Amino acid sequence: TEEQQQDSIRRRRLARLAGGPSSQPTTPLTSPQRETPPGPPVVAPAPGPSHSLGLNVHSMTPATSPIGASGVAHRSQSSEGVSSLSSSPSNSLETQSQSLSRSQSMDIDSVSCEKSMSQVDVDSGIENMEVDENDRREKRSLTDKEPLSGSEVSEEQALQLVCKIFRVSWKDRDRDVIFLNSLSAQFKQNPKEVFSDFKDLIGQILMEVLMMSTQSRDENPFASLTATSQPIAAAARSPDRSLILNMGSNPGSSPMFCNVGSFGSSSLSSVGGSGSSSVSDSCSDHFTIENCKETEMLNYLIECFDRVGIEERKAPKMCSQPTVSQLLSNIRSQCISHAALVLQGSLTQPRSLQQQSLLVPYMLCRNLPFGFIQELVRTTYQDEEVFKQIFIPILQGLAVASKECSLDSDNFKYPLMALCELCEIKFGKTHPMCSLVVSLPLWLPKSLSTGAGRELQRLSYLGAFFSLSVFAEDDNKVVEKYFSGPAITLENTRVVSQSLQHYLELARQELFKILHSILLNGETREAALNYMAAIVNANMKKAQMQTDDRLVSTDGFMLNFLWVLQQLSTKIKLETVDPMYIFHPRCRIDLPTDETRVKATMEDVAAWIAELYRDPSPFSEPKFPTECFFLTLHAHHLSILPSCRRYIRRLRAIRELNRTVEDLKNNESQWKDSPLATRHREMLKRCKTQLKKLVRCKACADAGLLDENFLRRCLNFYGMVIQLMLRILDPAYPNIKLPLAPEVPKVFAALPEFYVEDVAEFLFFIVQYAPQVLYEPCTQDIVMFLVVMLCNQNYIRNPYLVAKLVEVMFMTNPAVQPRTQKFFEMIENHPLSTKLLVPSLMKFYTDVEHTGATSEFYDKFTIRYHISTIFKSLWQNIAHHGTFMEEFNSGKQFVRYINMLINDTTFLLDESLESLKRIHEVQEEMKNKEQWDLLPRDQQQARQSQLAQDERVSRSYLALATETVDMFHILTKQVQKPFLRPNVSSFPKSLPNFFFSP
């Protein structure tokens, strides 16, 4: 039959092009022909008068490809897909989706085309290159010459379009085209039998061009082509064979905007000439590209794919005709299929998975046409081996590029955006790239040492992307670039911090999209949850007061991870969270067996859990909201709280160094002539160097930690945690009534103690360093929680945890922190606090005499100082004043409270006077210069050391004593009767006169 004859001719022709036998190849990846892909058969009608060109939509399958996995035309692609890597770095998802819907439309009018082009190419977020006015006029003239939509496309016009896109010719040798010898000979011999349809012709053209490239030793078929867009492969011919990521160009209307060369020697000259000047200081990242035949072939195929889009933009009405639309769709499909062959090395030498993919530099430079990567995924993902061979090197290349990036420039975003767009590619409910990512051996590597946290960060695939950090301990480049100046002022630190926080926000948004896509994909959700749980479990030691930082993940890594989990938790409703999850047999979080609980002992917890396991009814199947909520809660415990502690320790170290430097400078006259002068000068020099280093580290930490938006997210999440605990304490929340039930709910008693402690510690931090963050909608719940816990101290076993809650209230006191006056007023005016807060604090004042700790004697003074300060403020409140009076007249705590107050005052005043006496003696000795100089050097140093210690002790004790005396003054001024009761045997026989006001 005629169809069999055409097929035989086609096979012989392909065999000649490939230089092999005429038989049908057994491997589907070495030939441009393949069986029809699975699906409904497409019947190709016999060529008739109107179908002789093979341009009818129904006359062919959309893709005749070497691997034939797609079978889907570019125009009819699924709307589920996500835009590929052609768009500029700052294009939003909305812009990309608009562009994608544009590519799906069969009828493209000039208005929609112009609109989408303005979004994709102009609004790129990168400085546009100046476009010559002649280019604009030429562009307009080409559009004006567009044929009318009613005109029929002739065979000659279709052939011209094909030749124009592929830049080939089989008629005449001309400049700027590739002459096809084999096709030329066939057209001369028998023009009617050269191709059965345009699908066939496209395959022949591409195969002959690519074969010319592989077989030509003396002449490069692409050398005569000048650039029509800006692909990057010409840089492979440059001496350094590296690509410079250009930040400020967007040439013309082409979506390829990396300012490096294209085909031909003319473009290379521009790279060597202007490229070096455009590379500036900020563009220091080099992305190496191989100088090989595959690069040239891939660059040619990418340009052809891009020219299809250019033709569509130039002539939207003509290209919207079904025949032309199908032709362009076939061109795209064939370019993608042959690109897949090139990426595998099927036309040259097979490429291993360890070799860097040829596409990675294009993706990092955002230099691919719209839809290219998406079509490549669509065409290959159904063939698992081919898909892995093409995209595993791409994923590995993106990870390597991310490891080399830093926040000292904005090049960090390109690997992130590339991976994000790959993971968002979706066909139906399947995310092929997500499935491939989690199948990598390094998705969740097994731990090989005790440093599981650091291993997971260094070895896991996403670890490189999550490791971007502004902290000086994590990345020294940030310090060197932004904080290496002679002086670090508050103003320049604020400006730089805002810039770094913006960079971090961009990076974290991309990280969230990546992990969110993996969670959305049903096949990979379990793997994503396992990875999230592994990060939490591997970094349990990070919450310890003393930990080896080499064994756990860095602060930057953990804060990025926390930010992503916070975003995942924003839409969680507490009604869907199971509070029993932490005790669930299938809980992903490995809570240490010795973890301190809020109220229960370890034996109580073990017995209660054993009882629960005997009766499985309390446990339901863990759902994603529950697991995500508790993973986020534990991530806060392992990220934001350790970072806050490190920040406070650094500030303390800076203060100590400043004091040391000042002491050395002030006492220079005493040691400059001594034998230890050289040692003191070296110490002074080291202290100054260390101080300068710590100040720079502190400036970086300000950018990474004191981000108001980030702290607000943390506060809002802790608000959710507080709501959950209040629901456990009283199911009637928010209508809680005090006092609570005498019996503590077992669920609350068995909760880890840090659930409550972290709330207090975080509040303490933001009150000190970011009080403006405190006023959020969740503040009301935080106030209620503080009041409920302080009024029901029997619900907490550890007195130091209650002391932390007291300290939070003390720190919000307007006498201590004026900026938190509103918060303190919310506490003292809360309906639940007016009756029980004062008696509860008074009881704690007396109970803290014995805490069980070795330092209880000294700790109690600080705690009682906090309570006395709070009482002074509450005394001014009318509602609490009445409570004070009731307690003084008939309360159970008043006598013990006054007794402790008197004892503390006596001790503090005695110790202060003794310290003042010793201070005075040493100062008198030092005034007598002659007698002081006669003392041995070691005695002088001992006296000076004792003087410094006495000054610190007296300063602290006098502050505490002053506070207690002020409290006595307030009480005895208005309440004298209780002090004069004859049955108060606890008081000393004689009280100092100053205890009572006249």
Side-chain angles (χ1 to χ4, degrees):
T1 63
E2 181 180 355
E3 185 175 352
Q4 291 174 340
Q5 291 175 354
Q6 291 175 352
D7 188 65
S8 177
I9 294 170
R10 199 158 48 242
R11 284 200 303 272
R12 288 198 302 271
R13 186 184 308 115
L14 293 172
R16 287 198 305 273
L17 289 174
S22 60
S23 61
Q24 182 76 12
T26 56
T27 304
L29 301 176
T30 58
S31 167
Q33 299 293 331
R34 192 180 180 183
E35 296 178 2
T36 305
V42 180
V43 181
S50 61
H51 306 296
S52 59
L53 298 180
L55 290 171
N56 191 282
V57 177
H58 304 289
S59 66
M60 66 190 76
T61 56
T64 305
S65 65
I67 55 179
S70 170
V72 182
H74 179 81
R75 288 286 174 185
S76 59
Q77 63 191 11
S78 168
S79 62
E80 301 286 345
V82 179
S83 107
S84 77
L85 296 137
S86 62
S87 56
S88 59
S90 63
N91 278 352
S92 63
L93 289 178
E94 291 81 9
T95 302
Q96 295 171 351
S97 63
Q98 291 169 3
S99 303
L100 183 60
S101 62
R102 169 181 60 82
S103 68
Q104 294 162 355
S105 173
M106 295 296 292
D107 300 320
I108 305 178
D109 58 4
S110 58
V111 176
S112 63
C113 185
E114 180 181 355
K115 179 179 179 181
S116 62
M117 281 308 300
S118 66
Q119 291 169 332
V120 174
D121 296 316
V122 179
D123 186 21
S124 63
I126 295 180
E127 267 184 61
N128 297 325
M129 264 178 64
E130 293 184 5
V131 182
D132 191 87
E133 187 62 30
N134 295 329
D135 295 339
R136 293 194 179 96
R137 284 198 295 268
E138 180 183 358
K139 205 171 173 185
R140 286 195 297 269
S141 63
L142 287 171
T143 307
D144 295 340
K145 293 178 181 178
E146 175 191 340
L148 298 175
S149 59
S151 61
E152 195 68 32
V153 178
S154 64
E155 178 181 2
E156 186 64 26
Q157 288 175 320
L159 288 173
Q160 289 178 0
L161 181 60
V162 171
C163 291
K164 182 178 181 181
I165 291 175
F166 289 113
R167 301 177 75 178
V168 297
S169 174
W170 51 79
K171 294 182 179 180
D172 303 312
R173 296 181 183 272
D174 199 357
R175 60 182 295 274
D176 226 16
V177 296
I178 300 174
F179 184 75
L180 304 178
N181 292 313
S182 179
L183 271 179
S184 177
Q186 293 176 45
F187 270 105
K188 290 179 181 178
Q189 182 179 359
N190 192 347
K192 295 184 178 180
E193 294 187 1
V194 174
F195 60 93
S196 59
D197 52 35
F198 271 86
K199 177 180 62 176
D200 183 15
L201 178 63
I202 293 168
Q204 294 183 57
I205 291 172
L206 283 176
M207 187 55 69
E208 182 168 354
V209 171
L210 298 181
M211 288 299 104
M212 288 173 63
S213 173
T214 58
Q215 296 171 0
S216 175
R217 296 181 180 178
D218 302 326
E219 182 181 355
N220 183 354
F222 308 123
S224 61
L225 301 181
T226 57
T228 58
S229 55
Q230 294 290 332
I232 63 176
R237 304 188 190 90
S238 61
D240 61 354
R241 294 172 55 190
S242 63
L243 299 174
I244 308 299
L245 198 69
N246 192 301
M247 306 303 295
S249 61
N250 189 359
S253 62
S254 172
M256 302 178 178
F257 53 82
C258 191
N259 190 23
V260 283
S262 181
F263 291 111
S265 57
S266 61
S267 60
L268 285 177
S269 62
S270 66
V271 176
S274 63
S276 58
S277 62
S278 64
V279 175
S280 74
D281 299 335
S282 63
C283 302
S284 59
D285 289 72
H286 291 63
F287 302 109
T288 305
I289 189 170
E290 293 184 45
N291 185 8
C292 58
K293 293 290 184 181
E294 289 98 327
T295 297
E296 296 175 344
M297 291 188 286
L298 185 62
N299 209 57
Y300 171 75
L301 292 170
I302 292 173
E303 272 212 336
C304 294
F305 189 97
D306 186 42
R307 279 193 289 272
V308 174
I310 294 174
E311 292 301 319
E312 288 177 336
R313 294 190 289 272
K314 286 181 178 178
K317 292 182 181 178
M318 182 190 75
C319 294
S320 64
Q321 296 181 26
T323 53
V324 180
S325 175
Q326 185 64 36
L327 173 63
L328 297 179
S329 175
N330 280 322
I331 293 175
R332 278 196 175 99
S333 180
Q334 294 268 15
C335 289
I336 291 295
S337 302
H338 285 78
L341 284 180
V342 172
L343 291 170
Q344 297 173 81
S346 301
L347 303 179
T348 50
Q349 293 181 350
R351 298 180 64 85
S352 69
L353 295 179
Q354 284 69 39
Q355 287 181 274
Q356 177 172 317
S357 173
L358 300 171
L359 269 183
V360 170
Y362 292 86
M363 299 165 74
L364 294 175
C365 289
R366 314 291 295 169
N367 204 36
L368 287 174
F370 178 82
F372 186 88
I373 284 290
Q374 183 184 357
E375 282 301 298
L376 185 61
V377 174
R378 181 192 299 279
T379 306
T380 58
Y381 83 94
Q382 292 179 349
D383 191 327
E384 184 178 354
E385 291 302 318
V386 173
F387 187 60
K388 287 183 176 180
Q389 192 170 359
I390 292 176
F391 282 99
I392 285 181
I394 290 177
L395 293 176
Q396 292 172 345
L398 294 178
V400 170
S402 183
K403 286 180 181 178
E404 297 173 354
C405 288
S406 169
L407 288 173
D408 65 334
S409 72
D410 61 353
N411 292 336
F412 70 88
K413 61 188 176 185
Y414 297 107
L416 276 171
M417 296 173 72
L419 180 61
C420 175
E421 292 175 0
L422 285 174
C423 290
E424 286 182 334
I425 294 175
K426 182 181 179 183
F427 305 118
K429 294 183 178 180
T430 302
H431 293 73
M433 292 306 303
C434 294
S435 300
L436 183 61
V437 168
V438 301
S439 70
L440 296 175
L442 290 180
W443 167 254
L444 185 54
K446 293 183 178 180
S447 177
L448 302 175
S449 68
T450 55
R454 185 56 61 97
E455 279 186 11
L456 203 58
Q457 177 179 349
R458 298 295 186 192
L459 300 180
S460 68
Y461 180 75
L462 289 183
F465 299 93
F466 274 96
S467 295
L468 289 167
S469 173
V470 298
F471 291 100
E473 312 88 71
D474 304 343
D475 188 356
N476 196 45
K477 294 179 182 178
V478 176
V479 186
E480 293 299 324
K481 178 168 182 178
Y482 293 107
F483 302 108
S484 59
I488 301 177
T489 64
L490 290 175
E491 181 60 26
N492 62 27
T493 301
R494 184 182 62 82
V495 174
V496 171
S497 294
Q498 289 177 351
S499 175
L500 290 174
Q501 287 166 7
H502 175 67
Y503 280 175
L504 272 176
E505 191 81 6
L506 290 177
R508 289 165 173 173
Q509 286 173 356
E510 298 300 320
L511 289 170
F512 165 71
K513 293 176 187 175
I514 292 169
L515 197 56
H516 185 249
S517 296
I518 298 175
L519 286 167
L520 279 179
N521 189 32
E523 301 174 1
T524 58
R525 183 176 298 121
E526 188 70 15
L529 285 169
N530 287 337
Y531 180 73
M532 293 156 59
I535 293 176
V536 170
N537 293 328
N539 288 283
M540 284 293 184
K541 292 183 179 179
K542 197 169 177 66
Q544 298 175 354
M545 295 302 295
Q546 299 292 333
T547 185
D548 189 347
D549 289 335
R550 297 172 298 178
L551 304 180
V552 293
S553 301
T554 61
D555 287 349
F557 177 91
M558 292 303 295
L559 289 178
N560 292 337
F561 177 66
L562 173 63
W563 193 97
V564 172
L565 291 188
Q566 286 175 346
Q567 291 297 105
L568 292 172
S569 303
T570 51
K571 296 184 179 180
I572 291 178
K573 296 181 179 179
L574 278 178
E575 293 78 10
T576 63
V577 176
D578 181 10
M580 298 285 290
Y581 173 74
I582 198 66
F583 315 109
H584 200 289
R586 294 177 56 187
C587 178
R588 297 179 190 270
I589 301 170
D590 299 332
L591 200 65
T593 54
D594 59 346
E595 185 69 51
T596 308
R597 307 305 169 117
V598 174
K599 183 64 176 177
T601 63
M602 301 311 302
E603 294 76 13
D604 296 337
V605 174
W608 180 63
I609 291 179
E611 182 182 346
L612 286 177
Y613 285 1
R614 286 195 296 270
D615 181 13
S617 58
F619 297 115
S620 57
E621 186 72 17
K623 303 297 182 183
F624 175 77
T626 297
E627 294 190 292
C628 185
F629 179 87
F630 278 94
L631 285 171
T632 309
L633 173 56
H634 283 254
H636 279 79
H637 179 59
L638 303 174
S639 55
I640 186 68
L641 272 305
S643 299
C644 292
R645 295 187 201 109
R646 188 190 299 272
Y647 186 85
I648 295 172
R649 287 197 302 268
R650 184 179 287 116
L651 291 182
R652 190 179 298 121
I654 290 174
R655 286 195 297 269
E656 292 294 331
L657 279 173
N658 268 321
R659 189 179 297 117
T660 303
V661 170
E662 290 299 321
D663 290 343
L664 286 172
K665 286 182 178 180
N666 295 335
N667 299 326
E668 186 175 2
S669 59
Q670 300 178 16
W671 56 257
K672 66 179 181 179
D673 297 325
S674 69
L676 299 176
T678 304
R679 179 182 176 185
H680 281 80
R681 289 191 184 94
E682 287 295 325
M683 181 184 296
L684 181 61
K685 183 179 179 181
R686 286 198 306 270
C687 288
K688 287 183 176 179
T689 302
Q690 183 68 11
L691 183 61
K692 185 177 180 181
K693 180 180 178 181
L694 285 178
V695 169
R696 290 178 177 179
C697 293
K698 188 256 182 189
C700 291
D702 286 345
L705 191 59
L706 301 185
D707 181 354
E708 290 187 17
N709 293 328
F710 182 52
L711 293 177
R712 283 192 177 93
R713 292 189 184 98
C714 295
L715 186 66
N716 283 317
F717 182 81
Y718 277 126
M720 293 176 62
V721 176
I722 284 172
Q723 285 188 37
L724 183 67
M725 289 192 288
L726 288 175
R727 290 171 188 267
I728 296 173
L729 290 172
D730 190 345
Y733 169 85
N735 301 315
I736 295 180
K737 294 182 179 180
L738 295 183
L740 297 175
E743 185 178 354
V744 182
K746 292 185 178 181
V747 178
F748 181 80
L751 289 178
E753 187 180 86
F754 68 80
Y755 283 15
V756 179
E757 185 178 15
D758 285 359
V759 175
E761 195 169 342
F762 181 72
L763 288 173
F764 181 73
F765 180 81
I766 62 172
V767 165
Q768 282 186 296
Y769 303 105
Q772 67 277 11
V773 174
L774 198 56
Y775 302 107
E776 289 289 305
C778 63
T779 305
Q780 194 63 41
D781 289 319
I782 295 173
V783 168
M784 180 184 291
F785 180 74
L786 287 174
V787 172
V788 169
M789 289 292 97
L790 289 175
C791 295
N792 294 270
Q793 299 164 20
N794 60 309
Y795 274 56
I796 298 176
R797 188 163 62 104
N798 184 359
Y800 286 98
L801 181 54
V802 180
K804 278 196 174 183
L805 299 177
V806 172
E807 188 176 10
V808 170
M809 191 172 177
F810 163 78
M811 289 300 300
T812 60
N813 192 299
V816 180
Q817 175 61 277
R819 299 174 65 184
T820 58
Q821 180 175 356
K822 181 180 175 182
F823 184 84
F824 187 83
E825 290 175 352
M826 292 174 66
I827 295 177
E828 65 178 359
N829 295 325
H830 196 279
L832 298 178
S833 70
T834 54
K835 293 296 182 184
L836 293 178
L837 184 58
V838 168
S840 299
L841 290 177
M842 204 171 286
K843 181 178 184 300
F844 187 62
Y845 189 102
T846 59
D847 291 345
V848 81
E849 180 77 17
H850 303 288
T851 61
T854 55
S855 58
E856 64 179 13
F857 181 78
Y858 300 99
D859 294 338
K860 67 180 180 181
F861 293 117
T862 303
I863 297 171
R864 288 171 176 173
Y865 170 76
H866 294 161
I867 295 176
S868 296
T869 306
I870 294 171
F871 278 169
K872 286 169 65 176
S873 296
L874 294 179
W875 183 264
Q876 308 299 324
N877 187 286
I878 297 177
H880 290 282
H881 189 275
T883 308
F884 271 111
M885 300 304 294
E886 291 179 9
E887 186 67 25
F888 292 160
N889 292 320
S890 59
K892 300 177 182 178
Q893 305 296 331
F894 180 69
V895 173
R896 294 185 62 206
Y897 167 65
I898 294 298
N899 190 23
M900 298 297 178
L901 201 65
I902 295 173
N903 291 339
D904 289 350
T905 305
T906 305
F907 171 81
L908 291 171
L909 289 175
D910 286 344
E911 289 295 317
S912 301
L913 290 174
E914 287 293 329
S915 299
L916 289 172
K917 179 181 178 182
R918 289 192 297 268
I919 292 171
H920 178 71
E921 291 174 353
V922 175
Q923 287 177 343
E924 288 297 321
E925 284 186 45
M926 294 176 67
K927 280 183 182 180
N928 191 343
K929 184 70 174 174
E930 295 179 359
Q931 198 172 18
W932 177 260
D933 292 339
L934 293 176
L935 293 174
R937 179 66 59 180
D938 56 343
Q939 288 188 20
Q940 290 181 2
Q941 291 179 350
R943 299 286 180 89
Q944 289 174 342
S945 176
Q946 182 65 38
L947 175 64
Q949 181 179 353
D950 286 335
E951 287 176 344
R952 288 195 298 269
V953 169
S954 63
R955 189 182 302 113
S956 175
Y957 280 178
L958 282 173
L960 296 173
T962 302
E963 195 66 35
T964 53
V965 171
D966 285 347
M967 195 68 222
F968 263 117
H969 177 76
I970 292 172
L971 294 177
T972 57
K973 187 175 182 179
Q974 297 188 20
V975 187
Q976 297 182 6
K977 185 178 179 180
F979 290 91
L980 304 176
R981 285 185 297 184
N983 59 346
V984 182
S985 57
S986 302
F987 291 165
K989 298 298 181 180
S990 61
L991 296 176
N993 293 329
F994 57 79
F995 285 166
F996 298 93
S997 300

